[in-house]
Amino acid sequence: LGNGMARPSPPIRITTNQVKLALFVYALLSISSVFRGICTPQPHYLSSVVVQKHLRDKSHEICTRRHRQWNLNFDQIRRKATKSLVQDTSLLNASEATTNQSHYLFVVTVNDGFFDFFLNWHGHFERTVSKSTSASNDFGNDGNDENNINQHYFGNIPVLIIIAEDLIVYEKLSGLYYLINDVSVIILLSESAAKSGVPSAEDYDSYGYKTLVSSRATHLLDITCELVRGRRDALNKSNRTSGHDDIPWVIVYSDVDTVFLKNPIPYVEAKLFETVDEPNKSPQATERTGLTLASSNRSQRISPSYDIVSSVDNINASGFEFYYCTGFFAINPTPASVVFFSQWEKELQAYPRLNQPVFNDAIRVPLIGDATIRHAPLKLHDFPSGRLFFETWEKEIDPDFASLKKSNVVVVHNNYIIGHDAKKKRFLDRGLWLLRD
């Protein structure tokens, strides 16, 4: 305008048609948003799929890049199980020969200082688990008791891997005729044995003891990698040559200062395969019949519910509801197990230390995202610590009640006591030492 003032803008006019168009577009966007919400998978389901893929990829990378300390392969292990099964099925009913839910692979490590403890452990193992009677003969069992044999036999024959931690004990193990002639036994020499082997009987918490136990994760990771890799390859073959390829494998690690009073397989199996919807079958019934939780029909097999089940040292200790004991635990060889053992190994390789506290910390650390390994405790009264079995129960006012508790024990661990001789005396005093000096 001539007076320097700006001309006012014309008013904005919105027609009825524009309002209708805007409402129509808004309605379309709202409907689209609803459909996207319906069609999009639930976040936790999508997360689970992604996590499983990441675990498979990561475990494959760990196992592929890993230096292998032994020429151990899945076919060798599988042949051991198959040969043992063929050798001993004459003592089984036809229905019992294929009822096991899993193949079992027991692993122990031994050095020369605890060689006698291994012999004691193996004697109990033969009495309760193994299908060979040769070692039992050495300990005074004539092997001809039919009832005794029937108690021993349970589905698929377990394989035993013995890892020698020094050259001296390796020579001793290799000289035991009943081991080298047992088709279900594999004797391995630890790669570190020639360089830093610890042959002496080291006391708990000593540097030598920490050096020995720090290698455990490495050994178990090597074996787990081979089972994961080998079973995957076997299942991918279109022309299977054996009916055993679809049977899961379970690795059971045991310290040699444990004693098997019963066959632990039914109890481990019951826990590994437990379901929420269906009550567990009694382990005692499983041990009597040789049957497992799942049907003997291969098409009805189920997968284990956990990656690791472990004995318990204590309850509500060190900040954990269950403080796991690394003296006896079972492993379902899965990609998650591989990643977990890799993490455990990494922590222990930093410097020698007690492996049990690291195990309890690592087992609760997320592997990928917020996903942790599936783990569960074995019943404390079935797999008691040395303190519970040898001390607490023996102080019971009612001796019959204490005796009843002990009669139900599956595996007892001779821990909470320090020193080779003290451990041996404890076994001797309770009649759990099988060797004749």
Side-chain angles (χ1 to χ4, degrees), residues 86-103:
V86 171
Q87 172 179 290
D88 292 317
T89 47
S90 60
L91 296 174
L92 291 168
N93 294 327
S95 61
E96 291 178 334
T98 57
T99 53
N100 232 22
Q101 185 75 5
S102 314
H103 283 306

Side-chain angles (χ1 to χ4, degrees), residues 50-189:
V50 172
V51 165
Q52 291 304 316
K53 183 180 185 304
H54 281 320
L55 284 174
R56 286 194 299 270
D57 292 344
K58 191 170 182 179
S59 68
H60 179 71
E61 180 183 359
I62 290 169
C63 294
T64 301
R65 295 184 177 183
R66 184 170 185 77
H67 166 69
R68 299 169 69 177
Q69 64 173 321
W70 304 302
N71 291 323
L72 183 69
N73 60 70
F74 177 74
D75 287 337
Q76 178 187 2
I77 297 172
R78 185 174 57 178
R79 282 196 301 270
K80 288 282 185 181
T82 305
K83 285 180 180 178
S84 301
L85 184 60
V86 171
Q87 172 179 290
D88 292 317
T89 47
S90 60
L91 296 174
L92 291 168
N93 294 327
S95 61
E96 291 178 334
T98 57
T99 53
N100 232 22
Q101 185 75 5
S102 314
H103 283 306
Y104 275 79
L105 176 63
F106 285 81
V107 179
V108 294
T109 62
V110 58
N111 76 334
D112 188 50
F114 276 87
F115 178 63
D116 55 344
F117 270 81
F118 164 75
L119 295 177
N120 187 67
W121 178 92
H122 189 255
H124 286 281
F125 179 80
E126 286 287 322
R127 290 184 170 191
T128 56
V129 179
S130 178
K131 306 306 171 279
S132 169
T133 60
S134 56
S136 296
N137 290 341
D138 286 349
F139 293 109
N141 188 337
D142 60 12
N144 294 321
D145 186 339
E146 185 177 353
N147 293 327
N148 192 38
I149 291 175
N150 289 336
Q151 290 176 2
H152 287 186
Y153 283 80
F154 178 80
N156 300 314
I157 309 304
V159 176
L160 172 61
I161 290 183
I162 308 165
I163 302 173
E165 295 285 8
D166 61 78
L167 292 169
I168 299 173
V169 79
Y170 181 74
E171 293 296 327
K172 289 183 178 180
L173 291 168
S174 301
L176 294 176
Y177 73 94
Y178 57 82
L179 289 182
I180 60 177
N181 292 326
D182 190 333
V183 295
S184 64
V185 172
I186 301 173
I187 302 174
L188 301 173
L189 177 64

Side-chain angles (χ1 to χ4, degrees), residues 143-385:
N144 294 321
D145 186 339
E146 185 177 353
N147 293 327
N148 192 38
I149 291 175
N150 289 336
Q151 290 176 2
H152 287 186
Y153 283 80
F154 178 80
N156 300 314
I157 309 304
V159 176
L160 172 61
I161 290 183
I162 308 165
I163 302 173
E165 295 285 8
D166 61 78
L167 292 169
I168 299 173
V169 79
Y170 181 74
E171 293 296 327
K172 289 183 178 180
L173 291 168
S174 301
L176 294 176
Y177 73 94
Y178 57 82
L179 289 182
I180 60 177
N181 292 326
D182 190 333
V183 295
S184 64
V185 172
I186 301 173
I187 302 174
L188 301 173
L189 177 64
S190 171
E191 190 176 55
S192 62
K195 300 176 182 178
S196 56
V198 182
S200 55
E202 297 292 326
D203 286 345
Y204 176 83
D205 209 18
S206 66
Y207 181 81
Y209 177 87
K210 293 175 183 176
T211 301
L212 281 171
V213 299
S214 291
S215 65
R216 188 172 304 166
T218 300
H219 300 331
L220 292 174
L221 178 55
D222 285 341
I223 296 170
T224 303
C225 269
E226 193 52 52
L227 288 182
V228 170
R229 176 172 46 224
R231 188 162 186 268
R232 180 192 62 231
D233 294 343
L235 289 173
N236 288 337
K237 290 181 181 177
S238 57
N239 53 343
R240 297 179 183 172
T241 57
S242 169
H244 300 282
D245 287 343
D246 60 340
I247 304 178
W249 283 81
V250 176
I251 303 169
V252 178
Y253 173 82
S254 176
D255 278 354
V256 293
D257 63 344
T258 61
V259 159
F260 291 10
L261 300 179
K262 297 181 182 179
N263 184 353
I265 289 178
Y267 299 84
V268 169
E269 190 112 328
K271 190 64 181 180
L272 272 176
F273 290 88
E274 74 175 2
T275 60
V276 177
D277 300 328
E278 183 178 335
N280 290 335
K281 185 174 181 178
S282 165
Q284 287 85 350
T286 304
E287 191 173 32
R288 285 195 303 271
T289 63
L291 299 175
T292 58
L293 299 180
S295 168
S296 60
N297 186 336
R298 293 185 186 279
S299 64
Q300 298 182 21
R301 291 188 194 281
I302 58 175
S303 298
S305 302
Y306 301 105
D307 301 300
I308 292 180
V309 295
S310 176
S311 59
V312 175
D313 241 358
N314 219 331
I315 296 176
N316 296 322
S318 302
F320 302 114
E321 180 182 3
F322 299 104
Y323 188 70
Y324 292 127
C325 175
T326 52
F328 184 92
F329 59 94
I331 307 145
N332 171 21
T334 60
S337 301
V338 170
V339 176
F340 165 72
F341 281 124
S342 179
Q343 293 181 351
W344 190 27
E345 178 192 47
K346 183 179 179 181
E347 292 294 323
L348 292 173
Q349 285 183 339
Y351 59 89
R353 51 182 150 164
L354 299 176
N355 63 32
Q356 186 163 296
V358 182
F359 179 93
N360 277 278
D361 288 334
I363 206 169
R364 293 164 173 94
V365 172
L367 301 176
I368 292 177
D370 58 353
T372 57
I373 194 168
R374 301 172 302 168
H375 58 89
L378 294 166
K379 291 182 179 179
L380 184 58
H381 282 208
D382 291 339
F383 299 83
S385 67

